[in-house]
Amino acid sequence: MLLPSVIVVLIYSYLPMVGLFIAFQKFNPAHLFSSPWVGFDNFKYVYYMPGSMQILWNTLTIALFKIVGMIVVPVTFALLLNEVGKSLFKKSFQTLIYLPNFLSWIIMGGVLIDILSPSDGIVNQALGLVGIKPIYFLGDPFWFPITMIVSDIWKGFGFGTVIYLAALTSIDPSLYESARVDGANRWKQTLFITLPGIMPIIILMSVLSLGNVLNAGFDQIFNLYSASVYETGDIIDTFVYRLGIEQTQYSPATAIGLFKSVVSFTLISISYYLASRFADYRIF
Amino acid sequence: MNRYDTFGRRLFVVGNYTFLALTAILCLLPFINLLATSLSGSTAVAAGDVKFLPIDFNWKSYEFVMKSEQFARALWVSVERVVLGVGVNMFLTILAAYSLSKERRNFKWRGMYAWFFFVTILFSGGLIPWYVVISKTGLIDSIWALILPGALPVFNVIVLLNFFRGLPKELEEAAFMDGASHWTVLWRIFTPLSKPALATLALFCIVNHWNSWFEGLILMNRTEHYPLQSYLQTIIINPENFISMARGEYSDLLNFVNARTSRAAQLFVGTLPILLVYPFLQKYFTSGLVLGSVKG
């Protein structure tokens, strides 16, 4: 029964891993097995390439801010939403914020380009009302990464909120009862019961997101960036795409890909280990 | 209310409701703006007057989009991809999850196979070798390029195998006593009992196939083979293209339609299937996801 899956995975997942050898070659697609070996030259080439360290830096900063935001914002909203008694309001709020998760970055990108347009986008029109000059969110190297971080959190925070809210409902209500008897107010209850109650999930989600440190969001950035913001907005994945697919420099692009895979593999392994060790998370 | 209902508390409640309601509206406004744009007259849009209500209400940009051969073709490729892709995904997921859910004493190599699949989540060859393999296996420009490389969604297999394991052992033991084969047990007992889990995973697959654009973009050399999202990607970057290509053919419509209204209409059509499956998504996803990703 496993045979078809094994074959497909072997060809399309394992064969590309074998294909990583082209990182150590001066690869020419015409001579698949006879390209000359060059050792670590491709890695050196990329390392000394102007701007390559900037790209690593861009990737790390954008990814880290996204990871932190994706924990802080959903936890905050879950706590606020938990204070809401009316379940219809709670339900409709969840429905609305959860929806953008299921739309592609193509759709979201189209929406963002439209609303962030400096000339007639509604965001800049609104800023104009309070006397702020139009901001070129997608074309200004300063604003671009910020826009990426904020819009990614906007798109994704509903998912986390739903998870944390589910975790909140599993907290034993008698804890609140006894806290109230002891004279704890709502704030104290939140601080000493609610937060510790969802802490395991918060830790689990943080640990699992560790593996994403080199993923700053290809889909989003690829669809929204332009040459004018490469300086701050170019990330490893978009760079690999331009280098490998557009400029057909297969070997250097594969070298970066290999670097990224190895680092991600290490981080994910560590995070899974930590998750199983401290949060009792098991995959199977 | 109760005696803990102080003034500060009431202030907080009002503030909280207001803040949450505003956030919800902020999440929604961009989409309302998009919808209003798609339903407005081109002059009002060009002048930047359209905000949340359509001005000069009309369906012309939708009419224009639907008449576009390119759009229709991309839509068809997407539908084909979703139907074939989800079918293959689910079939392989069920088979793999069933085998891997067996105890080690019944399936000696279970652990090895589980890791064989799991490793692909942890490590990949990266973009270039992936592309080279797909092109060497001759899939470029074929619909199978969008289906075969991702035919087995390993994460879904893990969710389903955990679900299968939760089913009572006695059922299959009884079936085996009656002389049933693995095949019968799987399709007559396991699958019918796993409907909620299967529905969740199928919806995952639908959304996933519908939303992917990157594979289409780089694995299809000819734009006629682009699925909808890949095609929309080209429109986002260059909305004028679409208008200039259609110029001449439907010149009567062009008095009402411009690059922005037509793009808004196309984006909306691209969102529609998600909006249609969303009610089902919501129902299953929350429990399904929490089950799969948190409890493990």
Side-chain angles (χ1 to χ4, degrees), chain A residues 6 23 27 29 31 34 38 41 50-51 53 57 61 67 94 107 120 127 158 180 185 199 230 255 261 272 284:
Chain A
V6 170
F27 181 65
H31 316 107
S34 54
V38 293
D41 279 5
M53 287 304 116
W57 174 248
T61 45
I67 289 173
Q94 278 190 57
I107 304 287
D120 45 16
L127 290 177
R180 232 173 296 161
N185 61 22
M199 207 34 104
Y230 282 173
S261 289
Y272 274 38
F284 39 65

Side-chain angles (χ1 to χ4, degrees), chain A residues 12 14 16-17 20 80 83 93 95 98-99 102 104 106 114 120 125 159 162 219 223 250 261 281 283, chain B residues 9 16 20 48 51 116 123-125 128-129 139 158 211 213 229 233 236 260 263 278 285-286 289 293:
Chain A
Y12 293 106
Y14 280 90
M17 292 184 204
L20 282 168
L80 288 177
E83 296 296 317
F93 184 81
T95 308
Y98 199 27
L99 176 64
F102 297 105
S104 69
I106 301 296
D114 229 47
D120 45 16
Q125 285 182 2
F159 172 74
V162 170
D219 283 19
N223 285 307
Y250 289 123
S261 289
Y281 174 83
I283 305 128
Chain B
R9 172 72 193 156
N16 192 16
L20 291 176
K51 293 196 176 66
F116 172 79
F123 194 80
S124 78
I128 306 298
L139 293 185
I158 294 172
N211 277 346
W213 55 277
Q229 302 281 336
Q233 203 265 346
I236 289 176
R260 277 189 69 184
R263 181 174 72 186
Y278 188 58
F285 262 29
T286 327
L289 266 184
S293 62

Side-chain angles (χ1 to χ4, degrees), chain B residues 38-273:
Chain B
S38 71
L39 292 170
S40 293
S42 55
T43 36
V45 171
D49 292 337
V50 176
K51 293 196 176 66
F52 307 115
L53 283 175
I55 299 173
D56 307 330
F57 181 89
N58 68 76
W59 292 97
K60 291 282 199 278
S61 49
Y62 287 92
E63 202 181 311
F64 179 72
V65 165
M66 284 311 182
K67 275 185 177 163
S68 153
E69 217 175 284
Q70 235 192 328
F71 185 85
R73 225 185 283 131
L75 194 65
W76 171 243
V77 175
S78 270
V79 170
E80 201 181 356
R81 172 179 184 170
V82 169
V83 172
L84 285 173
V86 174
V88 170
N89 282 165
M90 291 311 287
F91 185 66
L92 292 187
T93 304
I94 292 172
L95 289 186
Y98 178 74
S99 326
L100 296 177
S101 70
K102 294 285 158 264
E103 306 275 327
R104 184 155 304 165
R105 65 190 149 86
N106 296 326
F107 180 24
K108 219 167 90 191
W109 301 108
R110 188 189 155 266
M112 197 198 79
Y113 278 111
W115 276 100
F116 172 79
F117 292 123
F118 185 60
V119 164
T120 62
I121 294 186
L122 301 178
F123 194 80
S124 78
L127 178 63
I128 306 298
W130 175 80
Y131 177 80
V132 173
V133 167
I134 293 174
S135 70
K136 291 290 170 198
T137 46
L139 293 185
I140 298 288
D141 263 324
S142 138
I143 182 94
W144 294 103
L146 307 175
I147 294 164
L148 285 183
L152 185 76
V154 177
F155 178 78
N156 292 4
V157 174
I158 294 172
V159 174
L160 190 62
L161 89 85
N162 281 324
F163 191 91
F164 278 167
R165 280 196 181 169
L167 296 175
K169 293 265 175 308
E170 293 75 16
L171 283 173
E172 59 177 314
E173 276 160 17
F176 284 130
M177 295 284 241
D178 292 343
S181 64
H182 278 295
W183 196 253
T184 328
V185 171
L186 172 57
W187 298 110
R188 292 283 176 78
I189 299 173
F190 274 60
T191 352
L193 285 175
S194 321
K195 269 187 197 141
L198 292 173
T200 313
L201 297 182
L203 288 167
F204 264 131
C205 295
I206 293 175
V207 172
N208 190 22
H209 275 293
W210 181 262
N211 277 346
S212 352
W213 55 277
F214 183 68
E215 291 100 324
L217 194 70
I218 72 165
L219 299 178
M220 301 290 145
N221 288 331
R222 297 158 57 145
T223 44
E224 306 94 277
H225 297 143
Y226 276 10
L228 189 62
Q229 302 281 336
S230 313
Y231 159 77
L232 286 177
Q233 203 265 346
T234 61
I235 292 297
I236 289 176
I237 291 177
N238 209 339
E240 300 293 340
N241 265 354
F242 181 67
I243 294 286
S244 57
M245 257 181 306
R247 192 152 286 154
E249 285 179 67
Y250 320 111
S251 45
D252 51 325
L253 279 171
L254 282 173
N255 297 327
F256 304 94
V257 178
N258 66 14
R260 277 189 69 184
T261 59
S262 74
R263 181 174 72 186
Q266 296 184 70
L267 288 176
F268 229 84
V269 178
T271 317
L272 215 57

